[in-house]
Amino acid sequence: MTTPDATPDPAPVDAAAALSPATLAVVAGRPAPVQGAPVNPPVVLSSTYVSQGPVVPGERLYTRMGTETWEPFEEAVAALEGGRHGATVFGSGMAAVAAVLALVPLGGAVVVPRHAYQATLGLLDQLAVERGLDVRRVDVANTDEVTRALDDADLLWVETPTNPMLEVADLPSLVEAAHARHVLVAVDSTFATPLVQRPFEHGADIVVHSATKYLAGHSDVVLGIALAASEHLADHLRAHRTSHGAIAGPFEVWLALRGLRTLALRVERAQANALELARRLAEHPAVAEVRHPGLPTDPGHERATRLMAGYGAILGLRPHGGPSAADAVVANVRVWTPATSLGGVESTLERRRRFGTESLTVPEDLLRLSVGVEDVEDLWADLDRALRAAQG
């Protein structure tokens, strides 16, 4: 019993909820601060664990089922995304995508952006043949078009901003429309990162990241991660990983956690660089079009300003002169790296339609630029020189 002059115990506080995402990226997933203990979690390199007799629930048995080296990274990403049921790390982003698409029954229907990661669209085309899926491609920025496609669907797959066209979806409206029709919503939030957009706050059921990109951030690992808004869906993700062997190596996950620690710094610098470059490119005489949600003239600007905590660090660029000029830009850069993938500390660029599997509605001359953390003046000087050289 509390006496009248006693001070009541303070109510429990969710420490993670009280911290900013920038702080969570640094502190989440660390060992308890015990005297003499390491600051960072260790890498455990073992394929199996000592075990005999009846198996106890939760007991470690075999690394395909789980390892303590995955858990700190999963804990940190779950804290950043607000995932109450944890996160599940996979051996690649596509392994995470495949685990989510496995939720769609034979002959089921998936609504997907017409512009999205080409490997995701390719897998859906494959599943349309192998499992009879009805794949409905839509302009994800057109809410009415997406809503019409949701009738009798099983899953709405969203990218926002999209890869590589940078369209921005009205995510809250799409989630509301999908849930009204009992359709699950999965969001690939790789471009945005948890620092710019948290889809669970808009009601999404599943969030997926290619951790290869911004989360790990150094172009040295291939990983994926997925989170679910319900225990049932989280159980599905974990069971799929185990049964399909879609597991990640312990050392790769440890590297990703180390990279995650600087996520806020990297995203802040890369976003600032991207916005400055977008502004300058919009005035460049060799540039026909720039896409970046941070530009007031961009079609996605209003939504990005309203729904996101930033504009991301990806640019779309179309030079005057068509595909040959775009190829010439890539050939003439020296600071930028001609390479696929994105989200590393280094700035990369490529002409997306060099891939025969890219969506045919992506312009032939579109360059996708992943802006890194270099000095913006060096990035600009290199790009300006390459653009001018490409004009002959």
Side-chain angles (χ1 to χ4, degrees):
M1 178 180 295
T2 303
T3 59
D5 59 347
T7 302
D9 291 335
V13 175
D14 183 347
L19 298 176
S20 74
T23 301
L24 286 173
V26 177
V27 305
R30 290 198 182 274
V34 176
Q35 184 75 15
V39 172
N40 292 309
V43 182
V44 177
L45 299 175
S46 181
S47 61
T48 192
Y49 296 82
V50 175
S51 176
Q52 59 182 328
V55 176
V56 178
E59 178 184 357
R60 297 193 191 281
L61 293 170
Y62 188 56
T63 297
R64 179 165 53 82
M65 302 173 184
T67 167
E68 57 266 61
T69 308
W70 292 343
E71 293 164 2
F73 181 62
E74 293 175 330
E75 179 184 330
V77 176
L80 283 168
E81 279 290 4
R84 297 190 306 275
H85 299 284
T88 303
V89 67
F90 289 85
S92 68
M94 283 308 300
V97 171
V100 177
L101 294 183
L103 287 160
V104 182
L106 289 171
V110 180
V111 180
V112 64
R114 60 177 180 166
H115 300 137
Y117 181 45
Q118 62 170 336
T120 300
L121 295 176
L123 177 58
L124 281 166
D125 288 342
Q126 178 183 336
L127 294 175
V129 174
E130 296 176 352
R131 296 174 54 199
L133 297 193
D134 176 10
V135 180
R136 305 169 184 174
R137 298 196 186 194
V138 296
D139 176 359
V140 78
N142 186 329
T143 302
D144 290 340
E145 180 181 335
V146 179
T147 300
R148 288 193 297 271
L150 288 171
D151 288 342
D152 301 317
D154 297 280
L155 176 70
L156 169 61
W157 184 273
V158 178
E159 283 187 18
T160 179
T162 60
N163 183 0
M165 294 300 293
L166 298 172
E167 294 123 336
V168 179
D170 186 346
L171 188 55
S173 296
L174 295 185
V175 170
E176 181 180 7
H179 285 174
R181 294 160 176 79
H182 307 289
V183 176
L184 284 174
V185 180
V187 179
D188 182 338
S189 202
T190 298
F191 271 27
T193 83
L195 298 181
V196 176
Q197 177 176 259
R198 286 156 56 100
F200 286 137
E201 294 180 352
H202 299 299
D205 300 295
I206 297 172
V207 178
V208 175
H209 290 273
S210 173
T212 307
K213 278 72 171 183
Y214 288 104
L215 298 188
H218 291 79
S219 303
D220 54 7
V221 299
V222 174
L223 290 174
I225 197 160
L227 307 91
S230 72
E231 189 62 37
H232 166 72
L233 292 174
D235 287 344
H236 162 82
L237 294 172
R238 288 188 286 266
H240 186 279
R241 177 179 66 185
T242 299
S243 61
H244 288 254
I247 63 171
F251 189 65
E252 286 83 357
V253 178
W254 184 88
L255 280 174
L257 179 61
R258 186 175 69 167
L260 188 73
R261 299 309 187 196
T262 59
L263 178 65
L265 297 172
R266 290 185 284 105
V267 168
E268 179 181 9
R269 176 63 172 261
Q271 284 197 128
N273 282 353
L275 185 56
E276 180 60 24
L277 291 174
R279 289 168 175 161
R280 296 186 190 186
L281 288 167
E283 304 296 327
H284 199 287
V287 173
E289 182 184 7
V290 181
R291 289 299 305 267
H292 182 61
L295 293 174
T297 55
D298 190 88
H301 179 71
E302 185 277 330
R303 283 182 182 166
T305 302
R306 174 166 50 90
L307 299 174
M308 297 163 59
Y311 300 109
I314 306 294
L315 302 179
L317 171 63
R318 300 179 67 188
H320 288 298
S324 61
D327 286 336
V329 172
V330 175
N332 278 282
V333 291
R334 297 295 178 267
V335 178
W336 293 75
T337 301
T340 195
S341 199
L342 54 99
V345 292
E346 66 286 330
S347 294
T348 62
L349 81 171
E350 67 175 345
R351 185 172 70 87
R352 288 300 298 170
R353 285 289 297 278
R354 72 191 181 99
F355 296 102
T357 52
E358 185 59 90
S359 297
L360 297 180
T361 48
V362 171
E364 285 271 9
D365 56 358
L366 179 76
L367 294 172
R368 186 187 69 190
L369 282 64
S370 173
V371 183
V373 302
E374 304 94 338
D375 187 288
V376 70
E377 297 300 336
D378 291 331
L379 292 175
W380 170 248
D382 190 44
L383 200 54
D384 173 55
R385 182 186 53 76
L387 282 164
R388 294 182 188 281
Q391 298 304 304

